[in-house]
Amino acid sequence: MDTNHETKKLFMYAILCLSLAVGLSSGVFSNYFKDVFAVDSVQRGLLEIPRETPGILCVVILTALSGLGNLSLMVMAYGFCTLGLAVLGLLSPSYFIMQIFLFSFSLGEHMMMPLRDSIAMDLSGEGKTGTFLGQLKGKMTLASMTASAAVFIGYRTGLFWFGDGVIPSFVAGLLFTAAGLFFAVRLRKTAPELNVPRARNTGRRDTLHIRKRYIPYYLITAVYGCQKRMRIVFAPWLIVELLAMGADTLALLGMAAHLIGSRFSPVIGRMLDRLGVSRSLAVEGGYFAGAFLFAAFAAWGAASGRFGDGPLGAVLVFLAYILVMLTDHFNTVHTVMMKQLSLRPEDVMGNLSLGLSVDHVLAVTVSGGFGVIWKVWGPQYVFLLAAACSAVHLAVAGYLEKSGIVKRG
């Protein structure tokens, strides 16, 4: 069998296993926190500290351990995920212990974000980076949709539940992280050339290079970190808090978002290869502004009762949830932006990690504040702030288009 084909297959299996595990665990964290620990909106925002701090630490960890190679780091990341879900799913931890192993799972998940993109770019063909990343994201989205279907069926039929003792959906996720760990180990043995640190190939010391040229990438990832709170925390909280609906409803909506996203992500990848980064970034800014403004309107109507007792309010909130979920697929634009801005190949991995950390510094610092805004002034203002941040996308897109420092497509 062709070695490159075998390598891509093992890589894809490992990534899809993680997508399934995340869908079965992270996908129901809001309900887990609410049903098991009875958190309010402020506590939910503060729980983003152990959930997202690993994203801040990623640049330190991945830079310090870069001599191990990307595939060895991938194995380590899957180990952290497996440990975290083993405790959360099997041992019914206290609130404090839960946060420690939430951190462990999240550390593995966040380590995989830049590692996944870096390895995928190594595997993609010349001029096909956006297309390959889009295809990968599309398949990940289908895996997430499968996980959402399992969550919907599980919680609707009683096969899954929250409470003291075993959390079945987390245990199912544990099985997939263990399978992903197996594929990651196989991948490391099959493709040792992907595990050679770039510094060894280039003869340069492997350090993080922060350059003025890369500031557009840092700005976008910082803004994206704030906006991502809408997708991870506050869009699900519309369903859980305002509509008082459970994990099965979120799973059903997640299935719809994933089904649409599986088609949406490859389109973004092809758009990148055709239009280039700057124009794709402008499209992203326009989409984000529209999605968050609509979510603000839906949140205002649901919270104030302006839509009455009929189904209109719920339908608008459901649609807003799906539109916000689709914002996740634009992350491919940021990855390709960093690749095209990079002056040296070895700068890509370090700065993807740094971008993730910048993203999560903002995530951790704003989540609690957004929770307070939600509680004191109303949920619509959280989404209005996220929409306002889209001006940064448009400004950076204009700068990149004018300067010509990235490809125009």
PDB file of all heavy atoms in Angstrom, residues 11-47:
ATOM      1  N   PHE A  11      -3.782   8.947  10.229  1.00  0.00           N
ATOM      2  CA  PHE A  11      -3.989  10.299  10.755  1.00  0.00           C
ATOM      3  C   PHE A  11      -5.475  10.620  10.819  1.00  0.00           C
ATOM      4  O   PHE A  11      -5.981  11.134  11.831  1.00  0.00           O
ATOM      5  CB  PHE A  11      -3.260  11.301   9.864  1.00  0.00           C
ATOM      6  CG  PHE A  11      -3.527  12.746  10.207  1.00  0.00           C
ATOM      7  CD1 PHE A  11      -3.057  13.290  11.388  1.00  0.00           C
ATOM      8  CD2 PHE A  11      -4.237  13.560   9.332  1.00  0.00           C
ATOM      9  CE1 PHE A  11      -3.286  14.623  11.703  1.00  0.00           C
ATOM     10  CE2 PHE A  11      -4.483  14.884   9.636  1.00  0.00           C
ATOM     11  CZ  PHE A  11      -4.006  15.422  10.823  1.00  0.00           C
ATOM     12  N   MET A  12      -6.196  10.305   9.749  1.00  0.00           N
ATOM     13  CA  MET A  12      -7.627  10.580   9.711  1.00  0.00           C
ATOM     14  C   MET A  12      -8.366   9.785  10.778  1.00  0.00           C
ATOM     15  O   MET A  12      -9.235  10.321  11.480  1.00  0.00           O
ATOM     16  CB  MET A  12      -8.187  10.242   8.325  1.00  0.00           C
ATOM     17  CG  MET A  12      -9.595  10.745   8.084  1.00  0.00           C
ATOM     18  SD  MET A  12      -9.669  12.536   7.920  1.00  0.00           S
ATOM     19  CE  MET A  12      -8.857  12.794   6.343  1.00  0.00           C
ATOM     20  N   TYR A  13      -8.039   8.499  10.953  1.00  0.00           N
ATOM     21  CA  TYR A  13      -8.684   7.687  11.980  1.00  0.00           C
ATOM     22  C   TYR A  13      -8.472   8.282  13.372  1.00  0.00           C
ATOM     23  O   TYR A  13      -9.407   8.354  14.187  1.00  0.00           O
ATOM     24  CB  TYR A  13      -8.137   6.259  11.954  1.00  0.00           C
ATOM     25  CG  TYR A  13      -8.579   5.412  10.782  1.00  0.00           C
ATOM     26  CD1 TYR A  13      -7.916   4.230  10.476  1.00  0.00           C
ATOM     27  CD2 TYR A  13      -9.646   5.795   9.970  1.00  0.00           C
ATOM     28  CE1 TYR A  13      -8.305   3.436   9.399  1.00  0.00           C
ATOM     29  CE2 TYR A  13     -10.043   5.023   8.894  1.00  0.00           C
ATOM     30  CZ  TYR A  13      -9.364   3.841   8.604  1.00  0.00           C
ATOM     31  OH  TYR A  13      -9.747   3.068   7.540  1.00  0.00           O
ATOM     32  N   ALA A  14      -7.231   8.691  13.646  1.00  0.00           N
ATOM     33  CA  ALA A  14      -6.930   9.261  14.963  1.00  0.00           C
ATOM     34  C   ALA A  14      -7.730  10.539  15.213  1.00  0.00           C
ATOM     35  O   ALA A  14      -8.303  10.735  16.288  1.00  0.00           O
ATOM     36  CB  ALA A  14      -5.432   9.541  15.080  1.00  0.00           C
ATOM     37  N   ILE A  15      -7.779  11.407  14.191  1.00  0.00           N
ATOM     38  CA  ILE A  15      -8.493  12.677  14.340  1.00  0.00           C
ATOM     39  C   ILE A  15      -9.996  12.444  14.481  1.00  0.00           C
ATOM     40  O   ILE A  15     -10.673  13.096  15.296  1.00  0.00           O
ATOM     41  CB  ILE A  15      -8.194  13.601  13.144  1.00  0.00           C
ATOM     42  CG1 ILE A  15      -6.702  13.960  13.103  1.00  0.00           C
ATOM     43  CG2 ILE A  15      -9.047  14.861  13.219  1.00  0.00           C
ATOM     44  CD1 ILE A  15      -6.186  14.633  14.345  1.00  0.00           C
ATOM     45  N   LEU A  16     -10.546  11.505  13.718  1.00  0.00           N
ATOM     46  CA  LEU A  16     -11.981  11.235  13.808  1.00  0.00           C
ATOM     47  C   LEU A  16     -12.339  10.642  15.162  1.00  0.00           C
ATOM     48  O   LEU A  16     -13.411  10.943  15.716  1.00  0.00           O
ATOM     49  CB  LEU A  16     -12.415  10.304  12.676  1.00  0.00           C
ATOM     50  CG  LEU A  16     -12.298  10.875  11.259  1.00  0.00           C
ATOM     51  CD1 LEU A  16     -12.832   9.883  10.232  1.00  0.00           C
ATOM     52  CD2 LEU A  16     -13.016  12.212  11.133  1.00  0.00           C
ATOM     53  N   CYS A  17     -11.461   9.819  15.729  1.00  0.00           N
ATOM     54  CA  CYS A  17     -11.703   9.285  17.077  1.00  0.00           C
ATOM     55  C   CYS A  17     -11.791  10.411  18.095  1.00  0.00           C
ATOM     56  O   CYS A  17     -12.660  10.403  18.976  1.00  0.00           O
ATOM     57  CB  CYS A  17     -10.600   8.306  17.470  1.00  0.00           C
ATOM     58  SG  CYS A  17     -10.776   6.654  16.765  1.00  0.00           S
ATOM     59  N   LEU A  18     -10.886  11.395  17.974  1.00  0.00           N
ATOM     60  CA  LEU A  18     -10.931  12.519  18.906  1.00  0.00           C
ATOM     61  C   LEU A  18     -12.198  13.343  18.705  1.00  0.00           C
ATOM     62  O   LEU A  18     -12.809  13.803  19.679  1.00  0.00           O
ATOM     63  CB  LEU A  18      -9.694  13.398  18.735  1.00  0.00           C
ATOM     64  CG  LEU A  18      -9.577  14.557  19.730  1.00  0.00           C
ATOM     65  CD1 LEU A  18      -9.550  14.050  21.164  1.00  0.00           C
ATOM     66  CD2 LEU A  18      -8.337  15.399  19.440  1.00  0.00           C
ATOM     67  N   SER A  19     -12.616  13.530  17.460  1.00  0.00           N
ATOM     68  CA  SER A  19     -13.854  14.282  17.200  1.00  0.00           C
ATOM     69  C   SER A  19     -15.057  13.587  17.833  1.00  0.00           C
ATOM     70  O   SER A  19     -15.937  14.246  18.404  1.00  0.00           O
ATOM     71  CB  SER A  19     -14.074  14.424  15.691  1.00  0.00           C
ATOM     72  OG  SER A  19     -13.042  15.190  15.100  1.00  0.00           O
ATOM     73  N   LEU A  20     -15.108  12.271  17.730  1.00  0.00           N
ATOM     74  CA  LEU A  20     -16.193  11.518  18.356  1.00  0.00           C
ATOM     75  C   LEU A  20     -16.137  11.659  19.873  1.00  0.00           C
ATOM     76  O   LEU A  20     -17.164  11.861  20.533  1.00  0.00           O
ATOM     77  CB  LEU A  20     -16.098  10.042  17.957  1.00  0.00           C
ATOM     78  CG  LEU A  20     -16.476   9.725  16.508  1.00  0.00           C
ATOM     79  CD1 LEU A  20     -15.966   8.344  16.113  1.00  0.00           C
ATOM     80  CD2 LEU A  20     -17.987   9.809  16.311  1.00  0.00           C
ATOM     81  N   ALA A  21     -14.936  11.565  20.440  1.00  0.00           N
ATOM     82  CA  ALA A  21     -14.785  11.678  21.894  1.00  0.00           C
ATOM     83  C   ALA A  21     -15.201  13.054  22.395  1.00  0.00           C
ATOM     84  O   ALA A  21     -15.886  13.178  23.418  1.00  0.00           O
ATOM     85  CB  ALA A  21     -13.338  11.381  22.288  1.00  0.00           C
ATOM     86  N   VAL A  22     -14.795  14.096  21.662  1.00  0.00           N
ATOM     87  CA  VAL A  22     -15.162  15.458  22.056  1.00  0.00           C
ATOM     88  C   VAL A  22     -16.671  15.647  21.983  1.00  0.00           C
ATOM     89  O   VAL A  22     -17.284  16.263  22.864  1.00  0.00           O
ATOM     90  CB  VAL A  22     -14.417  16.481  21.173  1.00  0.00           C
ATOM     91  CG1 VAL A  22     -14.981  17.887  21.369  1.00  0.00           C
ATOM     92  CG2 VAL A  22     -12.924  16.471  21.496  1.00  0.00           C
ATOM     93  N   GLY A  23     -17.301  15.119  20.937  1.00  0.00           N
ATOM     94  CA  GLY A  23     -18.752  15.230  20.811  1.00  0.00           C
ATOM     95  C   GLY A  23     -19.499  14.547  21.936  1.00  0.00           C
ATOM     96  O   GLY A  23     -20.568  15.010  22.365  1.00  0.00           O
ATOM     97  N   LEU A  24     -18.951  13.462  22.447  1.00  0.00           N
ATOM     98  CA  LEU A  24     -19.590  12.705  23.527  1.00  0.00           C
ATOM     99  C   LEU A  24     -19.285  13.269  24.905  1.00  0.00           C
ATOM    100  O   LEU A  24     -19.921  12.870  25.892  1.00  0.00           O
ATOM    101  CB  LEU A  24     -19.138  11.246  23.470  1.00  0.00           C
ATOM    102  CG  LEU A  24     -19.672  10.437  22.281  1.00  0.00           C
ATOM    103  CD1 LEU A  24     -18.832   9.179  22.063  1.00  0.00           C
ATOM    104  CD2 LEU A  24     -21.143  10.059  22.516  1.00  0.00           C
ATOM    105  N   SER A  25     -18.333  14.189  24.995  1.00  0.00           N
ATOM    106  CA  SER A  25     -17.937  14.731  26.299  1.00  0.00           C
ATOM    107  C   SER A  25     -18.086  16.253  26.328  1.00  0.00           C
ATOM    108  O   SER A  25     -19.028  16.771  26.934  1.00  0.00           O
ATOM    109  CB  SER A  25     -16.499  14.315  26.626  1.00  0.00           C
ATOM    110  OG  SER A  25     -15.622  14.639  25.562  1.00  0.00           O
ATOM    111  N   SER A  26     -17.197  16.966  25.621  1.00  0.00           N
ATOM    112  CA  SER A  26     -17.294  18.423  25.589  1.00  0.00           C
ATOM    113  C   SER A  26     -18.653  18.895  25.105  1.00  0.00           C
ATOM    114  O   SER A  26     -19.161  19.921  25.559  1.00  0.00           O
ATOM    115  CB  SER A  26     -16.209  19.009  24.672  1.00  0.00           C
ATOM    116  OG  SER A  26     -14.934  18.814  25.201  1.00  0.00           O
ATOM    117  N   GLY A  27     -19.244  18.139  24.202  1.00  0.00           N
ATOM    118  CA  GLY A  27     -20.538  18.513  23.641  1.00  0.00           C
ATOM    119  C   GLY A  27     -21.665  18.571  24.654  1.00  0.00           C
ATOM    120  O   GLY A  27     -22.691  19.202  24.397  1.00  0.00           O
ATOM    121  N   VAL A  28     -21.480  17.906  25.812  1.00  0.00           N
ATOM    122  CA  VAL A  28     -22.536  17.922  26.834  1.00  0.00           C
ATOM    123  C   VAL A  28     -22.029  18.485  28.158  1.00  0.00           C
ATOM    124  O   VAL A  28     -22.662  18.312  29.191  1.00  0.00           O
ATOM    125  CB  VAL A  28     -23.131  16.508  27.047  1.00  0.00           C
ATOM    126  CG1 VAL A  28     -23.859  16.044  25.801  1.00  0.00           C
ATOM    127  CG2 VAL A  28     -22.057  15.496  27.431  1.00  0.00           C
ATOM    128  N   PHE A  29     -20.866  19.161  28.141  1.00  0.00           N
ATOM    129  CA  PHE A  29     -20.341  19.725  29.377  1.00  0.00           C
ATOM    130  C   PHE A  29     -21.309  20.718  30.019  1.00  0.00           C
ATOM    131  O   PHE A  29     -21.443  20.759  31.244  1.00  0.00           O
ATOM    132  CB  PHE A  29     -18.989  20.408  29.130  1.00  0.00           C
ATOM    133  CG  PHE A  29     -17.807  19.472  29.181  1.00  0.00           C
ATOM    134  CD1 PHE A  29     -16.607  19.822  28.572  1.00  0.00           C
ATOM    135  CD2 PHE A  29     -17.867  18.252  29.839  1.00  0.00           C
ATOM    136  CE1 PHE A  29     -15.512  18.977  28.607  1.00  0.00           C
ATOM    137  CE2 PHE A  29     -16.783  17.395  29.889  1.00  0.00           C
ATOM    138  CZ  PHE A  29     -15.594  17.761  29.275  1.00  0.00           C
ATOM    139  N   SER A  30     -21.975  21.560  29.209  1.00  0.00           N
ATOM    140  CA  SER A  30     -22.906  22.535  29.793  1.00  0.00           C
ATOM    141  C   SER A  30     -23.998  21.832  30.580  1.00  0.00           C
ATOM    142  O   SER A  30     -24.350  22.254  31.702  1.00  0.00           O
ATOM    143  CB  SER A  30     -23.520  23.401  28.685  1.00  0.00           C
ATOM    144  OG  SER A  30     -22.575  24.294  28.149  1.00  0.00           O
ATOM    145  N   ASN A  31     -24.549  20.743  30.028  1.00  0.00           N
ATOM    146  CA  ASN A  31     -25.578  19.992  30.750  1.00  0.00           C
ATOM    147  C   ASN A  31     -24.988  19.266  31.957  1.00  0.00           C
ATOM    148  O   ASN A  31     -25.633  19.159  33.015  1.00  0.00           O
ATOM    149  CB  ASN A  31     -26.240  18.984  29.810  1.00  0.00           C
ATOM    150  CG  ASN A  31     -26.959  19.657  28.665  1.00  0.00           C
ATOM    151  OD1 ASN A  31     -26.385  19.841  27.601  1.00  0.00           O
ATOM    152  ND2 ASN A  31     -28.211  20.061  28.874  1.00  0.00           N
ATOM    153  N   TYR A  32     -23.790  18.754  31.822  1.00  0.00           N
ATOM    154  CA  TYR A  32     -23.096  18.083  32.927  1.00  0.00           C
ATOM    155  C   TYR A  32     -22.911  19.043  34.098  1.00  0.00           C
ATOM    156  O   TYR A  32     -23.236  18.723  35.251  1.00  0.00           O
ATOM    157  CB  TYR A  32     -21.756  17.565  32.425  1.00  0.00           C
ATOM    158  CG  TYR A  32     -20.812  17.025  33.470  1.00  0.00           C
ATOM    159  CD1 TYR A  32     -21.131  15.901  34.230  1.00  0.00           C
ATOM    160  CD2 TYR A  32     -19.571  17.621  33.689  1.00  0.00           C
ATOM    161  CE1 TYR A  32     -20.248  15.389  35.175  1.00  0.00           C
ATOM    162  CE2 TYR A  32     -18.674  17.118  34.614  1.00  0.00           C
ATOM    163  CZ  TYR A  32     -19.020  16.011  35.362  1.00  0.00           C
ATOM    164  OH  TYR A  32     -18.142  15.507  36.293  1.00  0.00           O
ATOM    165  N   PHE A  33     -22.412  20.248  33.829  1.00  0.00           N
ATOM    166  CA  PHE A  33     -22.214  21.240  34.880  1.00  0.00           C
ATOM    167  C   PHE A  33     -23.544  21.622  35.528  1.00  0.00           C
ATOM    168  O   PHE A  33     -23.636  21.776  36.748  1.00  0.00           O
ATOM    169  CB  PHE A  33     -21.540  22.495  34.320  1.00  0.00           C
ATOM    170  CG  PHE A  33     -20.170  22.270  33.742  1.00  0.00           C
ATOM    171  CD1 PHE A  33     -19.741  23.006  32.641  1.00  0.00           C
ATOM    172  CD2 PHE A  33     -19.308  21.334  34.280  1.00  0.00           C
ATOM    173  CE1 PHE A  33     -18.484  22.816  32.108  1.00  0.00           C
ATOM    174  CE2 PHE A  33     -18.033  21.123  33.744  1.00  0.00           C
ATOM    175  CZ  PHE A  33     -17.628  21.871  32.651  1.00  0.00           C
ATOM    176  N   LYS A  34     -24.570  21.781  34.718  1.00  0.00           N
ATOM    177  CA  LYS A  34     -25.877  22.206  35.233  1.00  0.00           C
ATOM    178  C   LYS A  34     -26.539  21.107  36.046  1.00  0.00           C
ATOM    179  O   LYS A  34     -27.020  21.345  37.162  1.00  0.00           O
ATOM    180  CB  LYS A  34     -26.785  22.596  34.054  1.00  0.00           C
ATOM    181  CG  LYS A  34     -28.136  23.181  34.451  1.00  0.00           C
ATOM    182  CD  LYS A  34     -27.990  24.593  34.962  1.00  0.00           C
ATOM    183  CE  LYS A  34     -29.342  25.268  35.158  1.00  0.00           C
ATOM    184  NZ  LYS A  34     -29.187  26.641  35.682  1.00  0.00           N
ATOM    185  N   ASP A  35     -26.568  19.878  35.519  1.00  0.00           N
ATOM    186  CA  ASP A  35     -27.312  18.796  36.167  1.00  0.00           C
ATOM    187  C   ASP A  35     -26.584  18.200  37.360  1.00  0.00           C
ATOM    188  O   ASP A  35     -27.222  17.820  38.358  1.00  0.00           O
ATOM    189  CB  ASP A  35     -27.606  17.690  35.146  1.00  0.00           C
ATOM    190  CG  ASP A  35     -28.592  18.118  34.081  1.00  0.00           C
ATOM    191  OD1 ASP A  35     -29.102  19.253  34.176  1.00  0.00           O
ATOM    192  OD2 ASP A  35     -28.842  17.355  33.138  1.00  0.00           O
ATOM    193  N   VAL A  36     -25.255  18.107  37.278  1.00  0.00           N
ATOM    194  CA  VAL A  36     -24.500  17.461  38.351  1.00  0.00           C
ATOM    195  C   VAL A  36     -24.090  18.459  39.420  1.00  0.00           C
ATOM    196  O   VAL A  36     -24.142  18.153  40.619  1.00  0.00           O
ATOM    197  CB  VAL A  36     -23.259  16.733  37.787  1.00  0.00           C
ATOM    198  CG1 VAL A  36     -22.414  16.130  38.910  1.00  0.00           C
ATOM    199  CG2 VAL A  36     -23.693  15.640  36.810  1.00  0.00           C
ATOM    200  N   PHE A  37     -23.712  19.681  39.020  1.00  0.00           N
ATOM    201  CA  PHE A  37     -23.180  20.649  39.980  1.00  0.00           C
ATOM    202  C   PHE A  37     -24.051  21.903  40.133  1.00  0.00           C
ATOM    203  O   PHE A  37     -23.711  22.787  40.922  1.00  0.00           O
ATOM    204  CB  PHE A  37     -21.757  21.055  39.580  1.00  0.00           C
ATOM    205  CG  PHE A  37     -20.796  19.895  39.550  1.00  0.00           C
ATOM    206  CD1 PHE A  37     -20.376  19.347  38.346  1.00  0.00           C
ATOM    207  CD2 PHE A  37     -20.323  19.335  40.732  1.00  0.00           C
ATOM    208  CE1 PHE A  37     -19.490  18.279  38.309  1.00  0.00           C
ATOM    209  CE2 PHE A  37     -19.438  18.261  40.710  1.00  0.00           C
ATOM    210  CZ  PHE A  37     -19.032  17.728  39.505  1.00  0.00           C
ATOM    211  N   ALA A  38     -25.158  21.998  39.395  1.00  0.00           N
ATOM    212  CA  ALA A  38     -26.139  23.082  39.527  1.00  0.00           C
ATOM    213  C   ALA A  38     -25.493  24.469  39.435  1.00  0.00           C
ATOM    214  O   ALA A  38     -25.762  25.354  40.249  1.00  0.00           O
ATOM    215  CB  ALA A  38     -26.923  22.942  40.835  1.00  0.00           C
ATOM    216  N   VAL A  39     -24.647  24.692  38.427  1.00  0.00           N
ATOM    217  CA  VAL A  39     -23.962  25.976  38.292  1.00  0.00           C
ATOM    218  C   VAL A  39     -24.908  27.023  37.706  1.00  0.00           C
ATOM    219  O   VAL A  39     -25.870  26.695  37.013  1.00  0.00           O
ATOM    220  CB  VAL A  39     -22.696  25.841  37.413  1.00  0.00           C
ATOM    221  CG1 VAL A  39     -21.759  24.780  37.966  1.00  0.00           C
ATOM    222  CG2 VAL A  39     -23.060  25.523  35.964  1.00  0.00           C
ATOM    223  N   ASP A  40     -24.617  28.313  37.995  1.00  0.00           N
ATOM    224  CA  ASP A  40     -25.360  29.403  37.372  1.00  0.00           C
ATOM    225  C   ASP A  40     -24.503  29.985  36.248  1.00  0.00           C
ATOM    226  O   ASP A  40     -23.420  29.477  35.943  1.00  0.00           O
ATOM    227  CB  ASP A  40     -25.764  30.472  38.392  1.00  0.00           C
ATOM    228  CG  ASP A  40     -24.566  31.120  39.083  1.00  0.00           C
ATOM    229  OD1 ASP A  40     -23.426  31.027  38.554  1.00  0.00           O
ATOM    230  OD2 ASP A  40     -24.759  31.724  40.157  1.00  0.00           O
ATOM    231  N   SER A  41     -24.967  31.068  35.607  1.00  0.00           N
ATOM    232  CA  SER A  41     -24.260  31.603  34.435  1.00  0.00           C
ATOM    233  C   SER A  41     -22.874  32.129  34.792  1.00  0.00           C
ATOM    234  O   SER A  41     -21.935  32.020  33.998  1.00  0.00           O
ATOM    235  CB  SER A  41     -25.092  32.713  33.773  1.00  0.00           C
ATOM    236  OG  SER A  41     -25.285  33.790  34.659  1.00  0.00           O
ATOM    237  N   VAL A  42     -22.721  32.695  36.005  1.00  0.00           N
ATOM    238  CA  VAL A  42     -21.409  33.200  36.420  1.00  0.00           C
ATOM    239  C   VAL A  42     -20.440  32.043  36.635  1.00  0.00           C
ATOM    240  O   VAL A  42     -19.295  32.064  36.163  1.00  0.00           O
ATOM    241  CB  VAL A  42     -21.536  34.054  37.697  1.00  0.00           C
ATOM    242  CG1 VAL A  42     -20.152  34.484  38.181  1.00  0.00           C
ATOM    243  CG2 VAL A  42     -22.399  35.284  37.426  1.00  0.00           C
ATOM    244  N   GLN A  43     -20.895  31.011  37.368  1.00  0.00           N
ATOM    245  CA  GLN A  43     -20.045  29.836  37.572  1.00  0.00           C
ATOM    246  C   GLN A  43     -19.695  29.168  36.249  1.00  0.00           C
ATOM    247  O   GLN A  43     -18.573  28.689  36.059  1.00  0.00           O
ATOM    248  CB  GLN A  43     -20.758  28.824  38.476  1.00  0.00           C
ATOM    249  CG  GLN A  43     -20.885  29.247  39.927  1.00  0.00           C
ATOM    250  CD  GLN A  43     -21.735  28.263  40.725  1.00  0.00           C
ATOM    251  OE1 GLN A  43     -22.886  28.017  40.375  1.00  0.00           O
ATOM    252  NE2 GLN A  43     -21.162  27.702  41.772  1.00  0.00           N
ATOM    253  N   ARG A  44     -20.670  29.131  35.330  1.00  0.00           N
ATOM    254  CA  ARG A  44     -20.403  28.519  34.026  1.00  0.00           C
ATOM    255  C   ARG A  44     -19.298  29.280  33.298  1.00  0.00           C
ATOM    256  O   ARG A  44     -18.417  28.673  32.674  1.00  0.00           O
ATOM    257  CB  ARG A  44     -21.691  28.509  33.180  1.00  0.00           C
ATOM    258  CG  ARG A  44     -21.495  27.913  31.787  1.00  0.00           C
ATOM    259  CD  ARG A  44     -21.124  26.451  31.857  1.00  0.00           C
ATOM    260  NE  ARG A  44     -20.735  25.904  30.556  1.00  0.00           N
ATOM    261  CZ  ARG A  44     -19.491  25.863  30.099  1.00  0.00           C
ATOM    262  NH1 ARG A  44     -18.509  26.378  30.824  1.00  0.00           N
ATOM    263  NH2 ARG A  44     -19.223  25.322  28.930  1.00  0.00           N
ATOM    264  N   GLY A  45     -19.331  30.600  33.389  1.00  0.00           N
ATOM    265  CA  GLY A  45     -18.270  31.379  32.774  1.00  0.00           C
ATOM    266  C   GLY A  45     -16.923  31.114  33.442  1.00  0.00           C
ATOM    267  O   GLY A  45     -15.901  30.970  32.774  1.00  0.00           O
ATOM    268  N   LEU A  46     -16.904  31.002  34.776  1.00  0.00           N
ATOM    269  CA  LEU A  46     -15.653  30.773  35.499  1.00  0.00           C
ATOM    270  C   LEU A  46     -15.090  29.383  35.253  1.00  0.00           C
ATOM    271  O   LEU A  46     -13.872  29.176  35.341  1.00  0.00           O
ATOM    272  CB  LEU A  46     -15.876  30.998  37.001  1.00  0.00           C
ATOM    273  CG  LEU A  46     -16.173  32.449  37.411  1.00  0.00           C
ATOM    274  CD1 LEU A  46     -16.508  32.511  38.898  1.00  0.00           C
ATOM    275  CD2 LEU A  46     -14.990  33.355  37.094  1.00  0.00           C
ATOM    276  N   LEU A  47     -15.952  28.418  34.928  1.00  0.00           N
ATOM    277  CA  LEU A  47     -15.463  27.072  34.616  1.00  0.00           C
ATOM    278  C   LEU A  47     -14.647  27.037  33.326  1.00  0.00           C
ATOM    279  O   LEU A  47     -13.954  26.048  33.045  1.00  0.00           O
ATOM    280  CB  LEU A  47     -16.636  26.084  34.516  1.00  0.00           C
ATOM    281  CG  LEU A  47     -17.125  25.508  35.841  1.00  0.00           C
ATOM    282  CD1 LEU A  47     -18.427  24.734  35.646  1.00  0.00           C
ATOM    283  CD2 LEU A  47     -16.071  24.601  36.470  1.00  0.00           C
TER     284      LEU A  47
END
